[in-house]
Amino acid sequence: ETDVTVGAPALTNGGASTGDAVAAAGAVSFDGTGLLTPGAVNLLADPTAGSDQTFTFSAAAGTFDFLAEGEVLEIAYTLTATDDSGVAVDDTDSTVVTVVVTGTNDAPTISVVPANGDSNSDVETETDIALLDMTGSLTALDLDLNDTVAITTALSSATLTEGGAPDVVSAPLQADIDLSSFTVLPTAANADAPAGDSIAWTFSSNTAEFDALQQGDILTLEYVVTVTDSQGATGNETVSL
């Protein structure tokens, strides 16, 4: 009878890897242990023809999300067969099974994470005294550890209601909107899992006074915050003010 065991896996970067897959694995404490199992741990090996030994490699969904597009991780497992006869000489033989995993891109996300104190909305009242300033934060996340994201913003809509009814944004009011600014910091981030990076957003009316707003008017500005990774994949979150 022959006993079959699986040794500790060894990780290396594949020859065509576009990044350091081994470093990415280390960052998430991945070592490949427990993913490859032999079909039989005790085998009655035929002394003439030999006996087939199967193995299974199985990893849960998301296990390799840390790999960025084009990163190649090679996982080498040493399978050792040991004769249980008790003879000390020439009682083992080994072979190496190598599993090659190539990373694909995971699109980044930006969202409200309540535990981080994030928000995607705010309300201010125009008083003719103080300028309007609003702040908040969002969380950017990219599962690909060796990837970075760029963060950009754009005004997507400006709507006005008067007495609950839709109204037209006047030229003076549009001028105030144009004078205002909506910015984010930082504008680039690693956004590494699992925590991601906090992205602070700030609205400032700057020199705009919004005096064109009448009593009871409600102006709603919606800004889209977009995260874009190095492969061009994007994620969006809308901030409503």
Side-chain angles (χ1 to χ4, degrees), residues 207-230:
T207 58
E209 297 179 348
F210 287 93
D211 286 341
L213 288 174
Q214 303 179 53
Q215 180 71 30
D217 284 356
I218 298 177
L219 175 67
T220 302
L221 304 177
E222 291 193 339
Y223 292 89
V224 175
V225 183
T226 301
V227 287
T228 306
D229 70 12
S230 61

Side-chain angles (χ1 to χ4, degrees), residues 78-196:
T78 299
L79 272 63
T80 299
T82 303
D83 189 328
D84 68 354
S85 65
V87 177
V89 180
D90 297 330
D91 64 346
T92 66
D93 194 22
S94 299
T95 191
V96 175
V97 174
T98 301
V99 177
V100 181
V101 181
T102 300
T104 57
N105 191 53
D106 294 287
T109 62
I110 186 164
S111 61
V112 173
V113 178
N116 294 343
D118 292 343
S119 64
N120 60 359
S121 63
D122 202 353
V123 177
E124 286 285 347
T125 301
E126 185 266 322
T127 63
D128 290 332
I129 298 174
L131 298 179
L132 303 177
D133 290 294
M134 291 177 260
T135 61
S137 65
L138 301 168
T139 297
L141 181 69
D142 192 335
L143 297 177
D144 301 327
L145 290 190
N146 289 332
D147 210 348
T148 58
V149 298
I151 305 100
T152 57
T153 67
L155 177 66
S156 62
S157 68
T159 57
L160 179 67
T161 59
E162 182 178 359
D167 201 356
V168 177
V169 175
S170 65
L173 191 53
Q174 183 62 56
D176 281 343
I177 296 171
D178 294 340
L179 283 172
S180 303
S181 62
F182 181 86
T183 57
V184 292
L185 283 176
T187 56
N190 291 326
D192 289 343

Side-chain angles (χ1 to χ4, degrees), residues 1-2 43-48 50-51:
E1 187 174 281
T2 300
L43 190 66
L44 294 173
D46 188 291
T48 304
S51 299

